[in-house]
Amino acid sequence: MKLDPVIVKPFLSWTMIVRNAAKTLEATLKSLRERTPEAEIVVVDTCSSDDGETMKIAERYADVLTEYRGPRNDWSPAMAAF
């Protein structure tokens, strides 16, 4: 009995942790989409304070969006550092 080989398509996930990344995020995400169109892109925004610009760009390219507010959920965009 001959078995058919199982062909498994490789799966790739890109995960990016960003904050106030509007200036560079679009070019990065566009490049990832062009080079790896079937990959999953996950963008984690860590309290950007750029009036939502980082999230707007991420929404156009990412498959999953997460806004991280710290381990106790008390981080805010007004914080200067983590």
Side-chain angles (χ1 to χ4, degrees):
M1 175 164 131
K2 184 178 177 186
L3 297 175
D4 290 328
V6 175
I7 299 173
V8 177
K9 194 177 219 181
F11 189 77
L12 175 66
S13 291
W14 295 103
T15 303
M16 301 176 64
I17 300 172
V18 299
R19 182 174 189 199
N20 298 328
K23 291 181 181 179
T24 57
L25 185 59
E26 183 155 22
T28 301
L29 294 173
K30 184 177 179 183
S31 178
L32 289 175
R33 271 284 172 240
E34 289 172 353
R35 287 170 170 66
T36 55
E38 295 180 20
E40 169 186 62
I41 299 176
V42 178
V43 177
V44 179
D45 181 18
T46 56
C47 301
S48 288
S49 59
D50 58 3
D51 295 322
E53 290 303 309
T54 295
M55 287 299 281
K56 287 176 195 170
I57 293 166
E59 287 171 353
R60 291 198 296 266
Y61 295 91
D63 298 307
V64 179
L65 296 171
T66 304
E67 186 173 21
Y68 185 64
R69 297 238 173 234
R72 294 181 306 272
N73 201 33
D74 59 352
W75 293 355
S76 75
M79 295 174 70
F82 297 111

